[in-house]
Amino acid sequence: MSGITASTREPNGTVNLDEETLAAFTAGLRGPCVMASDDGYDAARIIWNGSVDKHPALIAQCTGVADVIDAVNFAREHDLLVAVRGGGHNVAGNATCDGGLVIDLGAMNAVRVDPKARRARVSGGALLGDVDRETQAFGLAAPLGIVSLTGVAGLTLCGGLGWLRRKHGMACDALVSVDIVTADGNLVTASKTENPDLFWAIQGGGGNFGVVTSFVFELFPVGSMVTLCAPFYRLDDGAGDILRRWRDFMAEAPEDIASNFLFWSVPDHPNFPEELRGIPVVITAAVHTGAREDGERLMQPLRELGEPILDLSGPVPYSGVQTAFDPLFGKAERQNYWKSLYIDTLDDDVIKRAVARAHDRPDPWSLMVIWHLGGAMNRVDPAETALGERSAPYLYSLDTSWTNPADSESAISWTRDAWAEMKPYSRGGVYLNFPGQGEEGEAVMRASYGDANYERLVEIKTKYDPTNLFRLNQNIPPKGA
Ligand code: FAD
């Protein structure tokens, strides 16, 4: 092994890591530390978004807490630029970096369920599917997201929205405690009673406070069979009216039903009939997780908003709903830029604008989603978790996806225009798991957390990470940094 030059935290800063220093670090780890000269480097450095093509100097594939502690200490002692990777699904690409150290928790994916206590301990690199697999064995679930290949860590640390959000809240609300390695290399447990300030910050404050090595979640009885509603209507067959009727239906819907209104095209994928692929559609996707006999009856109106060209509705195992989108969101398959905005209304003006944008999407794979919110996730007081105020009834998310890197500039600028167009209907908060590239900086962070929560987050960041070691995230700079 020869020495290498690595990036430090200052822009364009570098440090030489000589052979002896590197050998001491890598020999101490139980997991491999992958470098550019190693076989498998490209596979190890790739993350979900194909737009992100970065070359870390070192990828420490940790197998346990001890590896994480060593990696954090090594990064701090050598002033290395450090990225932390859970599932690697962050669309902004925060789970990697050029020239620095990636602390990769992918191998730490164990999940242990205590069915009696209805709790699960989930390691810091687990994917949603790892959790669903273990919890569903006992008819339980944690409220996570809707694509099973997404990382639990990143999703939970910035909130976590899935099909259980109206009934059981967001992923961060179901947290009972975390184990976290902070910037000084100490392992700390945080819960409502132990280091409560840190626990509060972790419920929405992102990866700012350290490396979470495990999460304990409260679990809820779910499934195993639930009811899916998924009629596909042609976009040019009255989409505005369908959206209006979906809005009215969801305003009265029980919390057993969660729904996302999708503007998409029938995916060009073998799972869909060939003759329909590519047709622009709207989908009133919904999942009912209450008593099984009620699901189809209650959601029937969503299947009668027009003449569906395809209807995938019916009883499905919960694990089947959770994996339904997986084949359509493969790793590094496409270029992506996802940006969201909480909106306060779906009035005629918003509907007209959304439908016009849907006709004008940069690529058939580009998805626009209106998440209907409310219910349990709204009942959490803004001061109770870092995530803050949740009273907006909808999240408008532009999940822009395209294939040719040469189209990146126009796809990103289309997304920014579409996002800006909806700002008048919003108080300015974004869902920080769909933040574009975080380009609005502090202004959008304050709007999302609210001033009081943002100020408190800065205090807690200053206490636990005063030199901003953990900066590749939706960053909350500490005081004086
Ligand atoms: P990573 O890219 O690994 O990390 C994301 C951020 O978290 C980085 O800043 C990273 O440093 C930090 N981080 C990661 N692991 C740790 C850790 N152990 N300790 C401390 N910090 C850590 N969101 C939803 O709410 N609901 C959805 O249904 C949903 N669906 C999605 C589907 C797809 C296909 C994709 C690409 C994203 C989806 N998201 C969804 C957004 C998702 O929540 C974020 O992309 C999230 O960042 C993914 O977490 P991750 O662990 O995979 O990310």
Side-chain angles (χ1 to χ4, degrees):
M1 182 190 298
S2 51
I4 58 168
T5 301
S7 302
T8 60
R9 286 184 268 165
E10 286 309 310
N12 305 318
T14 58
V15 60
N16 290 319
L17 300 171
D18 63 31
E19 194 175 332
E20 206 182 332
T21 306
L22 273 181
F25 172 57
T26 57
L29 296 175
R30 190 155 173 80
C33 185
V34 183
M35 295 183 231
S37 54
D38 292 326
D39 288 344
Y41 173 73
D42 278 331
R45 74 182 178 83
I46 294 301
I47 59 166
W48 179 79
N49 186 357
S51 302
V52 180
D53 183 26
K54 296 201 169 162
H55 293 77
L58 302 159
I59 305 170
Q61 296 178 325
C62 301
T63 59
V65 173
D67 280 359
V68 174
I69 290 173
D70 278 4
V72 168
N73 285 338
F74 188 73
R76 191 189 59 253
E77 283 158 14
H78 297 280
D79 191 28
L80 295 177
L81 182 65
V82 60
V84 180
R85 184 188 307 173
H89 261 51
N90 181 265
V91 187
N94 284 331
T96 186
C97 57
D98 274 326
L101 167 68
V102 173
I103 302 179
D104 182 353
L105 277 77
M108 293 170 61
N109 62 355
V111 176
R112 185 182 185 283
V113 176
D114 178 343
K116 269 202 197 130
R118 290 193 179 160
R119 297 225 164 141
R121 179 173 289 277
V122 176
S123 296
L127 306 183
L128 272 48
D130 296 320
V131 181
D132 291 334
R133 171 73 182 141
E134 294 302 320
T135 54
Q136 278 292 283
F138 305 98
L140 299 169
L144 298 168
I146 66 177
V147 175
S148 89
L149 304 171
T150 311
V152 171
L155 178 131
T156 303
L157 292 169
C158 281
L161 286 170
W163 296 121
L164 301 176
R165 62 190 180 269
R166 299 187 68 227
K167 196 169 174 180
H168 299 302
M170 297 176 80
C172 69
D173 302 330
L175 274 181
V176 176
S177 69
V178 297
D179 281 355
I180 177 169
V181 177
T182 49
D184 55 9
N186 285 318
L187 179 73
V188 175
T189 297
S191 68
K192 281 214 154 77
T193 52
E194 205 173 346
N195 300 301
D197 57 343
L198 183 57
F199 184 66
W200 177 89
I202 277 162
Q203 289 183 290
N208 277 287
F209 307 96
V211 184
V212 178
T213 53
S214 65
F215 299 85
V216 176
F217 285 99
E218 183 183 358
L219 305 176
F220 302 92
V222 175
S224 60
M225 293 299 285
V226 299
T227 310
L228 172 69
C229 172
F232 290 50
Y233 303 100
R234 282 180 189 274
L235 176 67
D236 50 15
D237 207 2
D241 197 40
I242 293 173
L243 177 52
R244 208 168 284 116
R245 289 160 66 200
W246 172 83
R247 172 199 67 193
D248 295 344
F249 175 87
M250 285 311 299
E252 302 296 328
E255 291 176 8
D256 282 337
I257 299 176
S259 184
N260 288 1
F261 190 95
L262 314 183
F263 293 96
W264 214 5
S265 297
V266 178
D268 183 10
H269 187 276
N271 285 3
F272 295 87
E274 202 169 346
E275 67 280 9
L276 299 182
R277 292 180 206 158
I279 296 178
V281 287
V282 295
I283 310 166
T284 52
V287 176
H288 174 272
T289 50
R292 217 189 116 190
E293 59 278 14
D294 296 339
E296 286 182 72
R297 178 180 53 81
L298 286 172
M299 296 196 293
Q300 185 61 24
L302 290 179
R303 302 173 64 191
E304 295 172 354
L305 302 177
E307 281 291 320
I309 56 167
L310 179 69
D311 192 346
L312 304 177
S313 306
V316 192
Y318 178 70
S319 56
V321 167
Q322 289 293 96
T323 51
F325 285 101
D326 290 2
L328 309 175
F329 289 92
K331 186 172 177 181
E333 280 178 2
R334 276 178 287 279
Q335 315 284 304
N336 286 278
Y337 176 83
W338 294 12
K339 201 169 175 71
S340 67
L341 195 61
Y342 288 106
I343 55 173
D344 286 320
T345 171
L346 261 185
D347 64 14
D348 284 351
D349 209 24
V350 172
I351 290 175
K352 203 169 85 193
R353 289 171 189 274
V355 171
R357 284 286 170 187
H359 278 98
D360 178 41
R361 288 168 304 129
D363 187 283
W365 280 100
S366 288
L367 171 65
M368 294 164 53
V369 188
I370 300 174
W371 296 66
H372 175 255
L373 307 175
M377 64 167 281
N378 274 155
R379 286 193 285 274
V380 180
D381 188 88
E384 199 176 323
T385 66
L387 195 72
E389 221 270 331
R390 300 133 178 244
S391 65
Y394 307 102
L395 177 69
Y396 180 65
S397 179
L398 299 148
D399 303 352
T400 306
S401 188
W402 63 101
T403 311
N404 186 349
D407 297 333
S408 299
E409 212 179 300
S410 61
I412 292 172
S413 91
W414 178 89
T415 316
R416 288 180 177 153
D417 288 349
W419 184 83
E421 183 183 14
M422 287 299 180
K423 272 200 92 175
Y425 310 96
S426 168
R427 280 166 274 163
V430 310
Y431 179 44
L432 293 171
N433 270 326
F434 306 142
Q437 288 155 353
E439 52 271 42
E440 288 81 12
E442 186 180 323
V444 94
M445 300 284 279
R446 276 186 182 275
S448 304
Y449 288 118
D451 280 332
N453 282 15
Y454 186 77
E455 298 297 342
R456 190 170 171 203
L457 281 165
V458 172
E459 295 292 335
I460 297 168
K461 174 77 172 177
T462 309
K463 175 174 168 188
Y464 286 97
D465 185 16
T467 67
N468 208 5
L469 181 65
F470 302 108
R471 61 181 60 193
L472 295 180
N473 42 46
Q474 292 301 115
N475 197 232
I476 299 165
K479 278 188 186 151

